[in-house]
Every structure is written in structure tokens, then in C-alpha cells.
Amino acid sequence: MTPTVDASPAEVRPERRNPPSPQPHPSVVTADTEGAMTDAYVSRETEDPPLAQEAKRAVEILNPSGEITMPRPPRRRTMCVANQKGGVGKTTTAVNIAVALALHGNRVLVIDLDPQGNASTGLNVPHHSGVPDVYDCLIDGAPLDAVTQQVEGIPNLWAVPATIDLAGAEIELVSVVARESRLKRAIEAGGSDYDYIFIDCPPSLGLLTVNALVAAEEVLIPIQCEYYALEGVQALTNNIKLVRSHLNPKLDISTVLLTMYDRRTRLADLVEQDVRNHFGEKCLNAVIPRNVRVSEAPSYSQSVMTYDPGSRGAVSYFEAAQEIALRGAQVGGVA
């Protein structure tokens, strides 16, 4: 008789249990999630992706079809872009706003009155020694049309360049008759009809800037969103009052544009509040941010409007140009 052997604990098998029910894989669409995914898909389809939005803005700014237009003023507007402090964006503002207006149906002239010739560089206009320039108007009395050049690639834009000869113009103007109104006479002697004339001033309050203030009827002041920029504005406004009292009673500060705005700093917000409280409605709603594309464009002899029309800098200058055009149409322009 065979003895029975008890099973050892190691040989005891565990009780069978039913396996857990499988969970649906995240990639599997169930009846519960199908509606939510469909809604998300539709919401994505209704919004253009960032690249498409940028391309759309670029087409609007470059305006190749000419369908988008900015209102033209009933009379010519002559604007002096001035600020005695350097590096606040005077040249950049004059060039980009002029290009934006020209691309959208306005006839625009840019006069480079800065001996550095940066506006001429930004518009890709020849300004080497020997080229007829604004110096010939100030010293020799040449009419403006004799030194005006067409800006390549932009049909409605012209420029008067500045060469190195302009560096000594301030000294030579001291002995010239009616030295403060030489530029005004040159503009009046020109026969061309422009909607806008922008005069890019040097960073000083010398005779060149005084000539620009006498020739213009509006002043556009770019103000950098930094504390030091506020200090120079008081001296500029005092100088404008002197010119208005003695030389040009029609002169007025019509436009103030905040430039180089850095949203990361509280200082930029404080400067913006101070400027808007002081100048009120003269401040444009558009604010120009710090943007590397704006700084890169002159190295390619272009404005940011043509260099990278979809960038934040180009869009901001486009909005500023729109405001200037709309305000000019509302007030009836300046003779």
C-alpha cells in the first residue's frame, strides 16, 4: 500500500483570478472622447497657425496688389522727425513710416538732413561723395527736385540723400543770408507734388535741425522708453517754442511715438505713462517694441517693412503709419 504524501507549501498553486479588464489605449477613440476630439479639431481649423498669420500680415504690409490703401491727406504734410537725444529711433521711424505710407498709395519724400546719412543707407540711395545731395540745397540754393532720387523697388517713394559734405554745412551756414530758412526755400522751389515729406534730423539742436523746424509744420518726436530720453524732450519742446515764436508760427508737435518698448521692464511702463500724461492725444496708440529685425534691416540697406514684413517691428510701424494717415485725413491735412 503506497503511503500518501502531503503537498509541500511550495507546491501549492495560487488560486486562479480573472485578469483585469484591459484599459483603452490613449490613441483609441471611444464614444465618450470622440465628441471632445472633434471639437478640438474644429477649433484648430478655425484659427490660422502662427506661420500662416505671419504670412498674412506680410502680404498686408507689402501690399503687392495695391488693393490696401491708406487715406491720402487733402494737402501736403511736412513732418520733421526730431529729438536731440541720439539713438531713440529717429531715422528708423522716418524710414519705416515713409515706406509703409508709400506702399499703400501715398507719394512720400524723405529728406536726409543727418550728416551720418543713415536714412540714405536704409533706403538704399547712393550717398557717396560727389552725389547731388541736400547740401547743394542749403549752401548753393539748388531746388529740391534737382537732388531727389527715386527709391528702388518702391514706386511712390523718393529721397534726398545726405553726403559727407553736409558735415560742414552748419559752419558754412553761419554766414549765409536767411540761414534758418534755406531748406524751406528749396522745398518751395521744388515742383513735385507729395502727400508727405519727412525730414530726418541730426541728434542736435543746431542750424540743420532749425532749418528742418522752419521748413516743417508738424513735428514727430520718437521717444525711447528709457529715463534719459525724457530729459531731452524738455529741451526740444523749448526749442520748438522758440522757433514757433520767431521763425515758424505754424509749427506744432503733432505726433509722439514711443520706441524701443521692452515689456519685460516696469520702467518702460512708467515712461509710457509719463509721456501719455504729458502729450495726451498726440501720442500714437501704436508702440514700437524692441525687435532684432528692426536693427538688422539697415545692414541690408532695407527698411524692416521690406526686410521682414511679418515681424513685430514691421507690424508696429505699419500700425503707426496707419494712425498718422487716419489722423491726417480727419484733421484735413496741413498746407
Side-chain angles (χ1 to χ4, degrees), residues 107-110 123 148-151 155-160 194:
R107 294 170 55 85
V108 185
L109 173 69
V110 177
L123 294 172
T148 300
Q149 300 183 34
Q150 169 75 52
V151 176
N156 292 321
L157 185 59
W158 292 264
V160 175
Y194 301 105

Side-chain angles (χ1 to χ4, degrees), residues 19 39 92 104 154 239 255 274 295 309 327:
D39 292 341
T92 302
H104 295 82
I154 304 177
N239 203 48
T255 309
D274 289 344
S295 303
R327 291 185 180 191

Side-chain angles (χ1 to χ4, degrees), residues 173-182 185:
L173 280 171
V174 172
S175 58
V176 174
V177 177
R179 58 192 180 186
E180 299 91 353
S181 58
R182 302 290 287 184
R185 292 185 178 186

